[in-house]
């Protein structure tokens, strides 16, 4: 049975590493531990800012090569790799242009996905574009420490652009590697009113809309519900 191991920071291959991950003794040991658990799949994050620090054009080839070798290492050990793009840090030049608030972020992300598919897609067939976009946008904007950045409205704008970027990135990946499988990750929680009071029912409905319906309606129905439009 194939089981999915959540992404962990120890498998982040960043610009700060001077040696490819495949040459890291501790990293190889951890992969051995994963095999001993009987796991067959590893989902690992790929960081946008490390590969394209200037934004879109100049590729940091040494970092991309690290990911390339890491995919080979996983396959050599019988582990099926899944690329997780959801934990990507935006390159600073793109943050300076507004980040996920800028609608152009949809196309920036699509181009990034195409680059990865072209480089790694001959061996890696499964991709996750975003996971838990509510938490991502909430962390970036709704709960931002900088008062100039903190804004619920910006958080919803970012969520919207994260959602819209998924089909563009999916199409870019499939254009490079038609045999790829591309998914979108969401987290779900059961929601129940704390009491029979009206305000508790309304609070539960709002939570359901914010965390679930807002994303599912657009992904599967192609439109927002009336409740989502009034968040």
């Amino acid at each position: 049975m194939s089981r999915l191991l959540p992404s962990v920071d120890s498998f982040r291959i960043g610009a700060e590493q001077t040696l490819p991950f495949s040459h890291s003794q501790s990293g190889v040991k951890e992969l051995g531990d994963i095999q001993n658990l009987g796991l067959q799949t590893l989902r690992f994050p790929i960081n946008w800012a490390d590969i394209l620090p200037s934004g879109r054009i100049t590729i940091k080839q040494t970092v991309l090569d690290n990911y390339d070798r890491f995919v080979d290492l996983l396959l050599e050990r019988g582990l099926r790799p899944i690329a997780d793009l959801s934990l990507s840090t935006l390159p600073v030049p793109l943050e300076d242009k507004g980040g996920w608030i800028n609608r152009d972020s949809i196309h920036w992300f699509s181009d990034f996905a195409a680059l990865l598919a072209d480089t790694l897609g001959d061996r890696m067939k499964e991709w996750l574009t975003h996971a838990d976009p509510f938490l991502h946008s909430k962390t970036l904007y709704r709960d931002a420490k900088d008062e100039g950045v903190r804004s619920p409205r910006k958080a919803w704008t970012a969520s919207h652009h994260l959602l819209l970027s998924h089909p563009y990135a999916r199409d870019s990946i499939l254009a490079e590697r038609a045999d790829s499988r591309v998914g979108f990750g969401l987290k779900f929680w059961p929601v129940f009113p704390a009491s029979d009071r009206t305000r508790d029912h309304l609070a539960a409905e709002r939570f359901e809309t914010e965390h679930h319906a807002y994303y599912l309606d657009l992904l599967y129905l192609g439109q927002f519900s009336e409740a989502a439009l009034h968040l």
Side-chain angles (χ1 to χ4, degrees), residues 170-184:
R170 177 201 60 205
D171 290 350
S172 291
I173 291 170
L174 293 176
E176 295 290 339
R177 307 288 177 179
D179 58 345
S180 297
R181 296 199 302 168
V182 186
F184 188 97

Side-chain angles (χ1 to χ4, degrees), residues 27-49:
V28 171
K29 180 182 181 300
E30 289 189 38
L31 289 181
D33 292 340
I34 290 171
Q35 286 180 292
N36 292 336
L37 289 172
L39 300 175
Q40 299 171 12
T41 304
L42 177 68
R43 187 182 99 200
F44 68 96
I46 299 180
N47 195 40
W48 190 351

Side-chain angles (χ1 to χ4, degrees), residues 69-139:
R69 284 189 283 268
F70 183 58
V71 170
D72 285 341
L73 179 63
L74 293 177
L75 293 171
E76 288 169 6
R77 291 178 169 267
L79 293 167
R80 192 174 84 247
I82 299 179
D84 184 350
L85 311 187
S86 68
L87 300 179
S88 283
T89 303
L90 273 171
V92 172
L94 300 186
E95 285 283 12
D96 291 342
K97 292 181 179 180
W100 286 106
I101 302 301
N102 188 331
R103 193 177 178 90
D104 288 343
S105 59
I106 297 167
H107 304 291
W108 302 337
F109 186 71
S110 174
D111 291 345
F112 172 56
L115 168 66
L116 296 178
D118 178 57
T119 305
L120 307 174
D122 58 327
R123 288 150 291 147
M124 184 159 56
K125 303 302 180 183
E126 294 172 275
W127 306 78
L128 187 68
T129 57
H130 298 294
D132 200 2
F134 176 84
L135 179 61
H136 192 171
S137 58
K138 181 175 181 287
T139 302

Side-chain angles (χ1 to χ4, degrees), residues 7 25 27 50 53 55 65 71 84 103 151 166-167 181 205:
S7 302
Q25 186 174 4
D50 289 342
D65 289 345
V71 170
D84 184 350
R103 193 177 178 90
S151 164
H166 167 69
R181 296 199 302 168
E205 289 173 7

